[in-house]
């Protein structure tokens, strides 16, 4: 049996739909095994300000379908310094937190690794809309963000079609093109500009827009990843060079909200449950992952090392956009 009596739980970095479902899964699995759960409010910042709440079974009732994070989140500058990391580790020890479960992306898990180096037992759960972790096929929030982006693009297609315009849509994803590629495929985009493919010029895009018009298509849809940016300028260049009215839309933070999809809720439940099960079995300093479609785990340090060599780019998936466009 486990020697763990108390788990600390926090959400950190950009929030992601499904984080609440993870909070519920972690809390309920822990309580079922007589482990107390301390919710740390506002991410690592709440660790420093000691904003702690006790999470009981009812506190996490009926949250699996809600967006945002009931624990709130932050990007915490103090966790970027050695002094801050020492302080955070000491607070965990002072408050009897035997293990810290961190739900977040790359930066948040890197912060967790610095605490692991200071003797805190860590479980990381990938929660980010970006799908940008090299060590996991899935990150909680991606499916919901993708649905939100694709639904918004459908609306843009309606109006672009009515006005015979070109729509340039910028989606989130930081330095990763996953949301752009998947939403481009889902929406039948003519072209997607992503950071992983850097040889597509503005001239290529203009050529493509002209080509699809010549073939009789009445509207154009260009998806631009945040990591490429410049959608307003691109729309202007397209309009000037083709005479086709063009509009840019930056979807922005709308992609971070909303009710999580079923996929996000289910992954959240499975991954949250696994995180606590591993702790109970005496395992520590891991990232919960999805590998070959199955919930698995990887050593925290190793998982973050993979991040340095970058996520493997799926060129075949990207090429589907071009193959299916006119
Ligand atoms: O990591 C999630 C994300 O939404 C990225 O796609 C985006 O680059 C970033 O966070 C935006 O961060 P903030 O909410 O701090 O502006």
């Amino acid at each position: 049996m486990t020697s763990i009596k108390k788990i600390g739980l926090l959400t950190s970095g950009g929030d992601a739909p499904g984080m609440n479902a993870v909070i519920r899964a972690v809390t309920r699995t822990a309580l079922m095994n007589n482990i107390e759960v301390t919710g740390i409010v506002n991410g690592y910042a709440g660790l420093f300000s000691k904003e702690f709440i006790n999470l009981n079974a009812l506190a996490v009732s009926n949250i699996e379908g809600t967006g945002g994070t009931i624990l709130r989140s932050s990007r915490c500058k103090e966790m970027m310094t050695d002094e801050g990391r020492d302080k955070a580790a000491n607070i965990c020890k002072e408050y009897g937190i035997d293990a810290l479960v961190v739900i977040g992306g790359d930066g948040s898990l890197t912060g967790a690794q610095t605490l692991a180096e200071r003797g805190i037992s860590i479980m990381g759960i990938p929660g980010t809309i970006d799908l940008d972790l090299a060590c996991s096929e899935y990150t909680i929030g991606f499916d919901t963000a993708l649905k939100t982006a694709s639904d918004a693009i459908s609306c843009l297609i309606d109006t672009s079609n009515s006005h015979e315009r070109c729509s340039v849509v910028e989606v989130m994803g930081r330095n990763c093109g996953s949301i752009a590629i998947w939403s481009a495929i889902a929406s039948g985009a003519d072209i997607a500009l992503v950071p992983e493919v850097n040889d597509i010029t503005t001239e290529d895009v203009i050529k493509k827009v002209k080509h699809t018009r010549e073939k009789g298509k009445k509207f154009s849809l260009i998806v631009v990843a945040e990591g490429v940016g410049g959608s307003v300028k691109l729309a202007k260049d397209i309009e000037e060079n083709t005479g086709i009215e063009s509009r840019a839309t930056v979807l922005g933070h709308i992609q971070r909200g909303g009710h999580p999809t079923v996929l996000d809720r289910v992954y959240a439940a499975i991954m949250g449950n696994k995180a606590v099960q591993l702790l109970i079995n005496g395992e520590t300093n891991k990232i919960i992952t999805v590998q070959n479609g199955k919930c698995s785990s990887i050593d925290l340090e190793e998982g973050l090392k993979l991040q340095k060599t970058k996520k493997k780019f799926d060129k075949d998936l990207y090429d589907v956009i071009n193959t299916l466009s006119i």
Side-chain angles (χ1 to χ4, degrees), residues 14-15 75 128-130 132 172-175 179 226 253 256:
D15 62 348
R75 301 192 190 280
T128 166
I129 64 166
D130 296 339
D132 62 347
M172 272 188 168
R174 205 178 286 275
N175 300 316
I179 298 176
E226 175 188 17
H253 286 81
R256 288 243 295 265

Side-chain angles (χ1 to χ4, degrees), residues 153 166-171 177 179-194 197 199-212 217 219-225 228 234 238 317-326:
I153 292 171
C166 171
S167 186
V168 179
V169 193
E170 191 169 313
V171 298
I179 298 176
I181 294 170
W182 283 73
S183 62
I185 295 173
S187 311
D190 299 304
I191 205 162
L193 303 181
V194 295
V197 178
D199 58 355
I200 301 177
T201 64
T202 300
E203 285 66 44
D204 293 332
V205 178
I206 289 166
K207 231 164 117 185
K208 181 79 178 179
V209 171
K210 281 184 176 160
H211 173 76
T212 56
K217 193 176 169 196
F219 71 94
S220 310
L221 173 65
I222 318 294
V223 177
V224 179
V228 173
L234 181 61
I238 293 170
L317 187 68
Y318 179 76
D319 286 342
V320 169
I321 303 165
N322 301 327
T323 307
L324 300 189
S325 69
I326 291 175

Side-chain angles (χ1 to χ4, degrees), residues 38-70:
T38 296
I40 299 160
V41 178
N42 213 13
Y44 291 114
L47 194 54
F48 293 110
S49 58
K50 302 173 185 172
E51 238 186 296
F52 301 145
I53 53 169
N54 178 50
L55 291 177
N56 60 29
L58 268 186
V60 297
S61 179
N62 201 20
I63 62 168
E64 63 282 353
T66 59
T69 157
I70 62 160

Side-chain angles (χ1 to χ4, degrees), residues 147-160 169 186-187 221:
K147 183 179 184 314
T148 304
S150 303
D151 287 349
I153 292 171
S154 293
C155 297
L156 289 169
I157 290 175
D158 288 344
T159 175
S160 296
V169 193
S187 311
L221 173 65

Side-chain angles (χ1 to χ4, degrees), residues 22-320:
V22 185
I23 292 169
R24 176 178 178 270
V26 168
T27 304
R28 291 275 170 92
T29 309
L31 294 176
M32 188 66 85
N33 289 280
N34 300 315
I35 299 168
E36 195 184 318
V37 184
T38 296
I40 299 160
V41 178
N42 213 13
Y44 291 114
L47 194 54
F48 293 110
S49 58
K50 302 173 185 172
E51 238 186 296
F52 301 145
I53 53 169
N54 178 50
L55 291 177
N56 60 29
L58 268 186
V60 297
S61 179
N62 201 20
I63 62 168
E64 63 282 353
T66 59
T69 157
I70 62 160
L71 287 177
R72 303 211 299 277
S73 192
S74 63
R75 301 192 190 280
C76 178
K77 290 220 172 72
E78 214 173 338
M79 268 302 280
M80 309 294 260
T81 66
D82 278 342
E83 205 189 4
R85 290 161 177 171
D86 289 344
K87 193 172 159 191
N90 286 336
I91 293 170
C92 286
K93 287 172 193 163
E94 185 191 336
Y95 281 81
I97 291 170
D98 300 312
L100 184 66
V101 177
V102 174
I103 310 165
D106 184 14
S108 306
L109 299 178
T110 302
Q113 165 66 14
T114 68
L115 296 182
E117 285 159 8
R118 288 161 174 78
I120 305 300
S121 176
I122 297 289
M123 274 294 155
I125 303 179
T128 166
I129 64 166
D130 296 339
L131 192 64
D132 62 347
L133 287 188
C135 65
S136 182
E137 284 162 19
Y138 197 71
T139 61
I140 291 153
F142 174 70
D143 189 56
T144 308
L146 179 64
K147 183 179 184 314
T148 304
S150 303
D151 287 349
I153 292 171
S154 293
C155 297
L156 289 169
I157 290 175
D158 288 344
T159 175
S160 296
N161 199 13
S162 302
H163 289 265
E164 300 190 7
R165 283 176 173 163
C166 171
S167 186
V168 179
V169 193
E170 191 169 313
V171 298
M172 272 188 168
R174 205 178 286 275
N175 300 316
C176 178
S178 298
I179 298 176
I181 294 170
W182 283 73
S183 62
I185 295 173
S187 311
D190 299 304
I191 205 162
L193 303 181
V194 295
E196 295 88 344
V197 178
N198 50 24
D199 58 355
I200 301 177
T201 64
T202 300
E203 285 66 44
D204 293 332
V205 178
I206 289 166
K207 231 164 117 185
K208 181 79 178 179
V209 171
K210 281 184 176 160
H211 173 76
T212 56
R213 289 298 158 127
E214 280 159 17
K215 292 284 178 188
K217 193 176 169 196
K218 296 291 185 207
F219 71 94
S220 310
L221 173 65
I222 318 294
V223 177
V224 179
E226 175 188 17
V228 173
S231 49
V232 173
K233 167 89 169 52
L234 181 61
K236 196 166 170 274
D237 288 344
I238 293 170
E239 185 163 311
E240 276 173 13
N241 286 279
T242 63
I244 296 165
E245 279 189 323
S246 302
R247 298 286 187 269
T249 307
V250 179
L251 293 185
H253 286 81
I254 190 173
Q255 294 159 98
R256 288 243 295 265
H259 299 296
T261 60
V262 167
L263 189 77
D264 273 323
R265 295 181 208 191
V266 173
Y267 269 127
I270 294 169
M271 292 168 97
N273 175 262
K274 176 130 186 145
V276 180
Q277 290 296 350
L278 290 187
L279 287 170
I280 290 167
N281 294 342
E283 296 194 45
T284 184
N285 299 340
K286 303 264 180 202
I287 301 175
I288 307 301
T289 60
V290 176
Q291 308 281 0
N292 302 318
K294 285 201 102 77
C295 185
S296 180
S297 68
I298 187 169
D299 176 72
L300 178 60
E301 198 179 353
E302 198 187 320
L304 291 171
K305 249 189 217 145
L306 287 178
Q307 198 63 11
K308 291 204 176 84
T309 56
K310 275 187 129 187
K311 185 171 155 34
K312 199 171 165 288
F313 180 62
D314 190 345
K315 180 74 167 49
D316 291 345
L317 187 68
Y318 179 76
D319 286 342
V320 169

